[in-house]
Amino acid sequence: MGFSMGLNLVLLLAMVATNILSLYHLSSTTYQSQTKPPTQQQVPDYLIHQLQTIRATINHLTRHHPSTTIDTNSKTTTTIPQDLLLYSRLSPIASSCHNHPDLLHNYMSYTPFTLCPHDTDLQETLILHGCHPLPRRRCFSRTPSKPSSSLSSNPFPSSLPDSNVIWSKYNCKSFSCLVQKSPNLGFDPASEKSSSFLAFKSELDLPVTQFLDLAKAANSVIRLGIDVGGATGSFAARMKLYNITILTTTMNLGAPYSEAAALRGLVPLHVPLQQRLPLFDGVLDVVRCGHAVNRWIPVIMMEFLFYDVDRVLRGGG
């Protein structure tokens, strides 16, 4: 009993002595700071790196989880502007999948370890609703039964091979059928070789040759670009003849536009108009918008598209 009381007394004295020393140290430090100018200490690089990582994480979390700010002085509540929230919901990848569980359930309902369903229409319905579903992991992607062993390097071939397309979801079962029903949709590349983007069809048209002359006069080099809503890639095919690389955004709405563009040796980006262009800032020389970009598009979406076009265009583009 006496030993434990003595031990407690020693611990108490040690704690009191520690507090006294701490107070003395703080008072002396404060006195020295008042008499001597503060010296700037070098912060280690790893601490700066950790601080930057923490700030980036906090910014990321606050961007994706908007919160309400309360001003303690005025007791008022500040909310994020509604238009900002509206733009944030336009169509980041998979952002709207939770709003369409029935479509997503249909998309993911398939027999495992067999061929995946050929449901392009269902996929594009999800994409147009802002939901870009992840690839199916337990089924095998479908491919045409007898694809061509080699394709023409000419972007204006005499015809497009039917064997490279799965036609089961389309009313037409061949490119010749599409040409017959809709001759102006670009499924007959040979007929476009001497006409597309080379002559004036209206007062608003700008032929490619005149466009390149204007760029040359302005000392602007045209190398990279994108054609928004470019269907079968006719504009990209024309520019390819001038050694200019053009990407084409497509949607297979009733016809195999993406396959047709790929068969011409072009790059089809399967993205809707309301999606952020999958390109880095300020890297393109030209952006062309086809007939898909028209007054039927909601004004908010149109504004988003034009701001994104401005984002990807370089200075002078």
Side-chain angles (χ1 to χ4, degrees), residues 282-312:
V283 294
L284 297 186
D285 303 310
V286 59
V287 175
R288 174 188 175 270
C289 296
H291 293 293
V293 182
N294 211 321
R295 63 181 64 182
W296 66 271
I297 300 176
V299 176
I300 296 176
M301 190 184 302
M302 181 81 78
E303 184 182 14
F304 170 81
L305 173 63
F306 286 150
Y307 275 117
D308 204 37
V309 166
D310 179 70
R311 177 185 64 82
V312 299

Side-chain angles (χ1 to χ4, degrees), residues 43-58:
V43 181
D45 292 339
Y46 73 92
L47 288 179
I48 296 177
H49 178 70
Q50 291 180 358
L51 180 60
Q52 291 174 347
T53 304
I54 293 172
R55 285 176 176 172
T57 305
I58 293 174

Side-chain angles (χ1 to χ4, degrees), residues 95-109:
S95 65
S96 299
C97 288
H98 63 279
N99 294 331
H100 307 281
D102 51 342
L103 293 175
L104 193 61
H105 180 265
N106 292 337
Y107 176 77
M108 295 305 294
S109 297

Side-chain angles (χ1 to χ4, degrees), residues 36 88 106 114 117 135 180 184 187 194 222 229 234 262-263 282 301 316:
K36 297 180 179 180
S88 68
N106 292 337
T114 60
Q180 211 169 25
N184 297 322
F187 291 105
S194 59
I222 306 298
S234 298
L263 291 174
M301 190 184 302

